[in-house]
């Protein structure tokens, strides 16, 4: 699945700056929050604000507060999906460096795609997430394909500067609603 720039997701991550990488990882985490119990949508707002400012000190502090608010160390919700979401936040680097943020954004990308793929109607074949990230989305279900498009759009939006963060947040809210609806529908049918 080609992005608007023609670059695949891995290339977009490789070419992003610190703000883009922080926004990309945070957006993946934000879209996956519906997999945690309870309404926790505001927990990441201060982290988004730190990204908007490009402030490394505020970033580290906001990430620490979000970990506490989302009980990252607690492990209260023992589902594999919830552990994966908490793990995304637990691995967020305190340092605002391209190297640390690139590794985190890449890991969040893979985790978010895998989580969305689990909720598609068909099983996700081995290697599909990595193929999607490399530009080959053949065989991706609608949730996985949608998450891939959102990840690409976030990176492309933020590449245009701080004003692109509004679009990144909109994409995160939209993606969170989609996942929340799917999780809710699945819970009613089981």
């Amino acid at each position: 699945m080609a992005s608007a720039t023609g670059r695949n997701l891995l290339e977009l991550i490789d070419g992003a700056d610190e703000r883009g990488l922080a926004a990309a990882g945070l957006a993946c985490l934000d879209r996956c929050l519906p997999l945690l119990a309870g309404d926790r949508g505001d927990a990441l707002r201060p982290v988004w604000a730190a990204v908007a400012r490009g402030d490394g000190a505020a970033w580290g502090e906001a990430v620490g507060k979000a970990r506490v608010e989302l009980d990252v160390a607690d492990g209260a919700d023992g589902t594999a999906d919830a552990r994966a979401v908490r793990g995304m936040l637990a691995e967020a680097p305190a340092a605002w460096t391209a190297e640390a943020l690139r590794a985190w954004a890449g890991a969040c990308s893979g985790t978010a795609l895998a989580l969305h793929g689990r909720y598609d109607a068909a099983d996700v074949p081995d290697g599909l997430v990595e193929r999607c990230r490399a530009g080959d989305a053949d065989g991706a279900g609608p949730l996985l394909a949608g998450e891939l498009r959102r990840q690409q759009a976030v990176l492309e939006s933020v590449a245009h500067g701080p004003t692109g963060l509004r679009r990144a947040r909109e994409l995160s809210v939209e993606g969170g609603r989609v996942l929340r609806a799917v999780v809710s529908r699945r819970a009613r049918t089981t």
Side-chain angles (χ1 to χ4, degrees), residues 1-189:
M1 181 168 300
S3 69
T5 62
R7 298 181 350 180
N8 67 45
L9 185 58
L10 294 174
E11 292 167 337
L12 290 169
I13 291 170
D14 283 344
D17 64 6
E18 288 89 345
R19 180 178 280 131
L21 294 166
L26 184 57
C28 289
L29 172 61
D30 206 356
R31 286 189 299 275
C32 292
L33 281 183
L35 298 175
L36 296 178
D39 182 16
R40 300 163 185 248
D42 289 342
L44 298 178
R45 187 168 292 172
V47 187
W48 279 109
V51 173
R53 290 191 304 270
D55 183 341
W59 161 265
E61 183 179 325
V63 165
K65 288 180 181 176
R67 286 180 181 137
V68 171
E69 190 166 337
L70 294 173
D71 303 322
V72 168
D74 183 17
D77 188 341
T79 69
D81 291 349
R83 284 193 306 272
V85 174
R86 284 193 173 98
M88 292 165 76
L89 182 54
E91 296 300 318
W96 183 267
T97 65
E99 183 179 325
L101 289 166
R102 185 167 285 108
W104 180 65
C108 287
S109 167
T111 299
L113 289 167
L115 287 169
H116 281 75
R118 286 185 201 165
Y119 285 89
D120 271 325
D123 288 334
V124 176
D126 287 343
L128 179 59
V129 166
E130 285 309 311
R131 284 199 331 269
C132 285
R133 291 175 50 158
D136 176 12
D138 188 40
L143 285 175
L144 178 56
E147 174 61 13
L148 178 62
R149 283 191 302 273
R150 285 182 192 93
Q151 288 188 24
Q152 291 169 326
V154 164
L155 283 159
E156 289 167 348
S157 295
V158 178
H160 297 296
T163 56
L165 281 175
R166 175 176 288 149
R167 178 70 179 134
R169 283 291 317 253
E170 290 169 357
L171 289 163
S172 292
V173 168
E174 171 195 333
R177 281 189 200 124
V178 169
L179 188 56
R180 186 175 293 109
V182 169
V183 169
S184 177
R185 186 171 39 247
R186 185 169 283 188
R188 285 192 306 266
T189 61

